[in-house]
Amino acid sequence: MHRTVRKAVTSFLAITGLFAITVLTDYGMIARDEQSLAMIGLVVVAVAVRGLMYLDSVRHGREPEVQTRDTVTGNLIVVLSAVAYGWLLMGILVGTGVVSSAYESALKEFYGWLSLALFVVAIVVYTIDTFKLRKGRGNEAKTDPAPAPTETAQPRELIHQGRA
């Protein structure tokens, strides 16, 4: 799978799982002291899914991928879309009254700080990756470009075609 697709699947799975655990905890289906264990389980599942997708890419010869400006921008868009998706889910949960008002304030504060952290990390990674591409240190520079034609290459081609 493409790196951006893997990142999208992992991000949206993690955000959906975060809010599922939140609702289950609010309804008492998961004890508050077990909530951190459930979050760790969610991270393990998300990493396992991403790992399986990576192994599939390696098995089919699609790794390592060339990182271009488009993939760097795509990764930024995926992360920011996942954060927006989380705010949408929280708006639905709060708007429909699925979570209690006491849990709502804690959820807004937690997800607000999490969103800010994700936003800052996404911008920093985007800046670093773009800088690497501009300086030629990204793996876009590691691709084998076509060799530059030599001075004798053109006459050889003409001789081959009988026009020398």
Side-chain angles (χ1 to χ4, degrees):
M1 305 258 162
H2 195 276
R3 180 181 308 158
T4 307
V5 173
R6 289 194 305 265
K7 188 174 280 191
V9 169
T10 306
S11 300
F12 286 90
L13 177 67
I15 297 294
T16 305
L18 169 75
F19 285 105
I21 290 170
T22 300
V23 170
L24 291 174
T25 304
D26 192 40
Y27 279 122
M29 298 174 135
I30 298 176
R32 294 214 189 264
D33 56 340
E34 294 175 349
Q35 185 176 11
S36 59
L37 184 62
M39 293 289 183
I40 292 171
L42 172 66
V43 170
V44 168
V45 168
V47 169
V49 167
R50 188 167 181 165
L52 289 173
M53 292 170 71
Y54 177 77
L55 289 176
D56 180 62
S57 292
V58 170
R59 192 174 122 216
H60 292 292
R62 294 184 295 249
E63 275 301 318
E65 294 178 24
V66 175
Q67 190 163 356
T68 63
R69 178 179 279 158
D70 291 339
T71 58
V72 169
T73 305
N75 290 337
L76 175 69
I77 290 170
V78 163
V79 171
L80 297 180
S81 297
V83 170
Y85 170 71
W87 280 105
L88 175 69
L89 275 181
M90 186 167 56
I92 291 170
L93 293 175
V94 170
T96 57
V98 173
V99 293
S100 64
S101 59
Y103 212 68
E104 174 185 335
S105 62
L107 180 63
K108 282 183 181 177
E109 183 178 344
F110 170 74
Y111 194 67
W113 285 109
L114 179 65
S115 297
L116 181 64
L118 286 173
F119 182 77
V120 168
V121 167
I123 295 297
V124 167
V125 168
Y126 175 77
T127 304
I128 290 170
D129 287 347
T130 304
F131 179 76
K132 283 181 183 178
L133 287 175
R134 284 188 186 151
K135 294 296 180 183
R137 286 185 259 157
N139 63 1
E140 183 178 57
K142 294 178 187 172
T143 59
D144 294 331
T150 60
E151 293 176 12
T152 59
Q154 189 176 13
R156 279 191 207 149
E157 285 182 24
L158 293 175
I159 290 171
H160 253 325
Q161 296 171 0
R163 291 188 269 161

